[in-house]
């Protein structure tokens, strides 16, 4: 029998007179509300809020939460998202009173510990990337992209050059051309070659004298390391352009190679993907960027500097692009990344990447026998399989497979991205999953490919909602459940 307290709306559970608290008597003289708030701001009638006990509210939301999938409860093979398990020690350490009780308006002399942490983190990110200057301000990976391109624009302006073209491979994240457009550049796509790398002929044809930046994800969204990256970087630099490294896939190369060493001038990190931090949900994120020395003057202000034996926020940056985030960014997320990095150390971080690559190649070796992998027998941290043959022969799509996996307790992989692969199924196991979990996933995936097509077309069968109209849900969200008709 379904738990009604998990499926009913709070307004349906409401009963007049129920309350979760007993308010004390007012200890100040009471005044009419009209004397305190102007009448034009007052509602004509009382809000129809549900009346519930504390137990009913807690039970409702706790039961509702069990209907969600999460990294703590399910395996997430979500390609390009690196849904690794976040160690709980980092959450605990980031919640210590000496951290969460700080206020950004406190005098710098009272937050020396936090400033030291952030200063050290700037240096750590620079060392891992091979790029000497760092800003922790950006609030997400895409925000880091935009910030880096704003830095690039300011740099070109400072040397009197009006460059407008940003090149990006056709397998890149959609945020790349979007960030370029928002920063005032013109985005131009580069084709992929048959092996999944940059098509060098197309690249050379589009590499003109007005090139500003080449944005490249390496390893790519296909899970491949760009073998021509040094040649590409040299060619862009020869034209006076800059290389931007989309750091979304840094989880594959920690301690093995550094973007600055293979030609990048700037990059961003996704701390939740490469290190540790909350995954998604619309909450706070971080997208720190690292750049070369010549771009350092243009980084957002302030940055943390060491002055003798103390630390301070340096606002004296006349060439800076200015703030891109209030205060100093989402510090709580940065603290989690700091704890993760110190817990692992240099050798441990390299082990993270080695295990991520090992897990991905193991999965590829098992999956390719029933789902073709068009680009490569080997991969880095992820790979892209294709359901194109299944669709042609039996009408089974990548969406069908992803939806059916939910019935077996697995989150769906990323589907239909990158766009260069027909019926793409993008799988990234991360380093935190066991061989037993990976084997169970492969067995389930194979079983699904053998199931009846009609069964798959209607999947999932075990969730409260099966296949909502996702476009309508995004464009016309119903945010007040009590008044939704469907």
């Amino acid at each position: 029998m379904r738990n009604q307290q998990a499926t009913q709306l709070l307004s349906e559970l409401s009963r007049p007179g129920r309350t979760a608290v007993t308010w004390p008597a007012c200890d100040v003289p009471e005044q009419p509300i009209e004397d305190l708030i102007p009448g034009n701001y007052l509602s004509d009638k009382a809000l129809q809020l549900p009346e519930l006990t504390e137990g009913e509210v807690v039970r409702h939301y706790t039961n509702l939460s069990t209907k969600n999938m999460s990294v703590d409860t399910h395996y997430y093979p979500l390609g390009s998202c690196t849904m690794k398990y976040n160690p709980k020690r980092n959450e605990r350490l980031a919640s210590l009173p000496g951290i969460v009780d700080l206020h950004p308006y406190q005098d710098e002399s009272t937050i020396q510990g936090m400033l030291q942490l952030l200063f050290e983190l700037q240096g750590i990110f620079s060392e891992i990337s091979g790029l000497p200057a760092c800003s922790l301000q950006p609030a997400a990976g895409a925000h880091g992209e935009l910030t880096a391109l704003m830095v690039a624009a300011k740099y070109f302006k400072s040397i009197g050059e009006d460059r407008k073209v940003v090149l990006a491979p056709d397998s890149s994240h959609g945020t790349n051309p979007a960030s370029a457009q928002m920063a005032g550049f013109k985005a131009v796509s580069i084709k992929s070659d048959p092996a999944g790398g940059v098509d060098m002929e197309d690249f050379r044809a589009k590499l003109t004298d007005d090139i500003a930046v080449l944005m490249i994800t390496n390893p790519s969204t296909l899970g491949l390391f760009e073998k021509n990256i040094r040649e590409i970087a040299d060619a862009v630099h020869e034209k006076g352009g800059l290389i931007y490294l989309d750091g979304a896939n840094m989880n594959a190369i920690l301690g093995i190679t550094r973007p600055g060493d293979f030609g990048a001038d700037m990059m961003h990190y996704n701390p939740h993907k490469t290190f540790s931090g909350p995954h998604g949900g619309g909450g706070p994120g971080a997208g720190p960027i690292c750049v070369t020395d010549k771009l350092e003057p243009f980084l957002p202000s302030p940055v943390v500097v060491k002055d003798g034996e103390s630390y301070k926020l340096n606002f004296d940056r006349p060439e800076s692009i200015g703030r891109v985030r209030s205060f100093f960014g989402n510090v709580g997320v940065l603290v989690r990344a700091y704890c993760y990095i110190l817990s692992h150390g240099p050798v441990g971080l390299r082990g993270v990447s080695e295990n991520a690559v090992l897990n991905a190649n193991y999965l590829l070796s098992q999956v390719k026998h029933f789902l073709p992998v068009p680009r490569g027998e080997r991969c880095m941290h992820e790979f892209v399989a294709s359901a194109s043959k299944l669709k042609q022969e039996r009408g089974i799509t990548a969406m069908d497979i992803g939806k059916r996996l939910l019935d077996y307790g697995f989150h769906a992989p990323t589907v239909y991205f990158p766009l260069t692969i027909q019926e793409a199924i993008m799988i990234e196991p991360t380093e935190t999953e066991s061989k037993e979990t990976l084997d169970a996933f492969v067995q389930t995936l194979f079983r699904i490919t053998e199931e009846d097509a009609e069964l798959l077309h209607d999947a999932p069968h075990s969730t409260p909602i099966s296949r909502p109209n996702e476009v309508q849900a995004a464009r016309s969200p119903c945010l007040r459940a009590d008044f939704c008709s469907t």
Side-chain angles (χ1 to χ4, degrees):
M1 184 175 178
R2 296 176 69 184
N3 189 330
Q4 286 192 329
Q5 286 182 303
T7 57
Q8 284 183 293
L9 299 174
L10 290 177
S11 58
E12 295 172 332
L13 295 169
S14 175
R15 295 293 182 273
R18 288 185 181 172
T19 181
V21 296
T22 300
W23 297 108
C26 185
D27 59 355
V28 296
E30 293 190 27
Q31 291 181 266
I33 191 68
E34 294 80 5
D35 293 347
L36 302 173
I37 301 175
N40 58 311
Y41 292 114
L42 295 174
S43 175
D44 294 333
K45 57 183 179 179
L47 292 176
Q48 298 301 304
L49 298 175
E51 300 178 65
L52 302 156
T53 65
E54 178 181 323
E56 288 171 322
V57 173
V58 170
R59 185 169 294 163
H60 172 81
Y61 283 109
T62 301
N63 284 321
L64 203 60
S65 72
T66 64
K67 298 184 178 299
N68 291 334
M69 285 189 165
S70 70
V71 176
D72 286 358
T73 58
H74 296 80
Y75 170 46
Y76 262 73
L78 205 56
S80 199
C81 294
T82 319
M83 302 293 283
K84 64 166 72 177
Y85 172 77
N86 285 171
K88 293 297 173 281
R89 66 173 289 162
N90 304 328
E91 302 297 318
R92 185 174 69 253
L93 292 170
S95 300
L96 290 173
I99 292 175
V100 297
D101 291 344
L102 296 181
H103 192 281
Y105 282 145
Q106 284 182 230
D107 188 88
E108 289 179 2
S109 64
T110 68
I111 56 171
Q112 284 296 296
M114 176 58 77
L115 290 178
Q116 179 181 349
L117 185 156
L118 296 175
F119 177 79
E120 291 178 0
L121 189 58
Q122 288 174 170
I124 290 169
F125 282 152
S126 290
E127 175 61 28
I128 292 172
S129 66
L131 296 166
C134 177
S135 169
L136 303 176
Q137 267 194 47
H143 193 203
E145 285 180 13
L146 176 61
T147 301
L149 289 174
M150 291 167 64
V151 166
K154 191 73 179 288
Y155 161 73
F156 287 121
K157 183 178 180 180
S158 74
I159 60 175
E161 294 184 2
D162 184 25
R163 293 171 178 257
K164 291 299 183 184
V165 175
V166 169
L167 298 178
D170 57 10
S171 62
S172 66
H173 295 104
T175 52
N176 287 186
S179 296
Q181 189 74 23
M182 290 183 68
F185 294 104
K186 175 186 176 183
V188 177
S189 180
I190 308 170
K191 296 177 183 177
S192 295
D193 65 19
V198 171
D199 185 313
M200 295 301 289
E201 184 177 342
D202 192 48
F203 163 67
R204 293 189 187 95
K206 293 173 178 174
L207 181 60
T208 55
D209 291 335
D210 60 349
I211 173 72
V213 179
L214 169 72
M215 303 182 77
I216 188 165
T217 310
N218 192 33
S220 71
T221 58
L222 291 165
L224 304 174
F225 193 87
E226 178 53 62
K227 64 181 181 180
N228 294 315
I229 186 62
R230 187 74 255 182
E231 180 183 349
I232 291 169
D234 288 345
V236 171
H237 289 151
E238 192 174 317
K239 292 285 188 180
L242 301 172
I243 297 290
Y244 175 81
L245 189 283
D246 182 330
N249 297 334
M250 282 293 291
N251 204 51
I253 59 173
L254 293 172
I256 299 171
T257 186
R258 306 190 304 174
D261 294 341
F262 57 70
D265 299 289
M266 47 189 178
M267 67 161 287
H268 84 267
Y269 286 98
N270 293 95
H272 67 288
K273 297 173 63 175
T274 308
F275 306 112
S276 180
H279 289 285
I289 63 171
C290 292
V291 301
T292 58
D293 282 327
K294 71 179 181 182
L295 299 177
E296 186 278 336
F298 312 104
L299 285 176
S301 178
V303 295
V304 184
V305 296
K306 189 172 183 180
D307 184 14
E309 294 302 313
S310 62
Y311 301 87
K312 67 178 184 179
L313 294 172
N314 181 15
F315 290 89
D316 185 17
R317 301 177 55 79
E319 295 185 279
S320 168
I321 62 171
R323 279 192 183 274
V324 295
R325 180 70 173 83
S326 57
F327 303 119
F328 201 71
N330 291 324
V331 170
V333 177
L334 297 171
V335 170
R336 289 166 170 82
Y338 177 84
C339 295
Y340 180 94
I341 293 168
L342 292 194
S343 297
H344 282 80
V347 175
L349 289 179
R350 182 183 179 111
V352 163
S353 289
E354 290 174 341
N355 286 323
V357 173
L358 177 64
N359 276 358
N361 277 278
Y362 175 70
L363 264 189
L364 187 155
S365 71
Q366 303 300 301
V367 169
K368 68 180 182 181
H369 301 297
F370 56 90
L371 282 175
V373 179
R375 303 288 189 268
E377 287 292 308
R378 297 282 297 276
C379 66
M380 295 294 287
H381 61 298
E382 65 189 359
F383 63 93
V384 184
S386 173
S388 183
K389 186 177 179 182
L390 275 175
K391 182 179 180 180
Q392 293 171 5
E393 295 178 353
R394 299 176 53 208
I396 296 173
T397 66
M399 182 67 77
D400 291 334
I401 294 172
K403 292 292 188 181
R404 181 61 170 152
L405 277 166
L406 303 179
D407 287 328
Y408 289 97
F410 293 106
H411 195 280
T414 300
V415 294
Y416 301 114
F417 180 80
L419 302 177
T420 53
I421 302 293
Q422 294 295 312
E423 294 296 322
I425 300 176
M426 192 180 196
I427 300 172
E428 181 179 7
T430 82
E431 75 282 0
T432 59
E433 298 299 336
S434 67
K435 181 176 180 295
E436 290 76 18
T437 298
L438 301 184
D439 287 339
F441 175 71
V442 170
Q443 292 164 10
T444 302
L445 202 57
F446 175 73
R447 178 176 176 178
I448 290 171
T449 63
E450 296 290 300
E451 290 182 327
D452 180 70
E454 291 304 315
L455 177 72
L456 300 186
H457 294 333
D458 294 329
H461 301 279
S462 59
T463 56
I465 299 174
S466 181
R467 295 206 188 190
N469 184 324
E470 296 174 3
V471 175
Q472 181 183 355
R475 293 182 176 176
S476 305
C478 183
L479 304 179
R480 300 173 64 189
D482 291 17
F483 303 100
C484 289
S485 57
T486 57

